[in-house]
Amino acid sequence: SSGINAEYGGHRKLPLTRIVDCLADLKPSTETDGYTTLDPKIYKKAEGMAAPSVKSTFTDVYVFVVGGGNYVEYQNLMAYQEQHPGKNIVYGSSEIMDSENFLAQLNELGEMS
């Protein structure tokens, strides 16, 4: 049990958490090359005003997964949030997959092939 927790939900950062870490703290990484960050503060509020610096890190992070999100990713992100005071992470997906739904989808895919 402790080995599973350490591997999937414990101290190790899962790929989604590593991506969030790099994007939120503006760390260069090949994992984040195809990702876009949206920061409403970078746009000019009025004509002639300079845009704020984009060199500041993000404290509010909204993660949305198109397709199957899962509790392990959520748990790993919440552990990351606890280790980084001041970070507020919201996680959502178009579908939350539990083990039963995941296995049912695998079965459907197997029947299609």
Side-chain angles (χ1 to χ4, degrees), residues 12-95:
R12 182 173 169 219
K13 286 183 192 171
L14 296 178
L16 181 64
T17 304
R18 288 194 312 266
I19 291 167
V20 167
D21 181 43
C22 290
L23 291 174
D25 290 338
L26 305 174
K27 298 175 186 174
S29 171
T30 57
E31 284 185 307
T32 60
D33 286 345
Y35 290 86
T36 301
T37 56
L38 303 174
D39 185 356
K41 293 183 285 184
I42 64 172
Y43 299 103
K44 295 180 183 178
K45 292 185 178 183
E47 192 68 30
M49 292 180 64
S53 171
V54 292
K55 293 183 179 182
S56 62
T57 60
F58 296 96
T59 55
D60 295 322
V61 178
Y62 296 88
V63 178
F64 191 83
V65 176
V66 176
N70 61 68
Y71 297 108
V72 175
E73 286 178 338
Y74 172 75
Q75 182 182 30
N76 199 250
L77 283 169
M78 293 303 100
Y80 171 80
Q81 179 178 276
E82 285 179 16
Q83 296 167 357
H84 296 84
K87 293 270 189 241
N88 301 308
I89 300 174
V90 176
Y91 175 79
S93 69
S94 57
E95 183 178 3

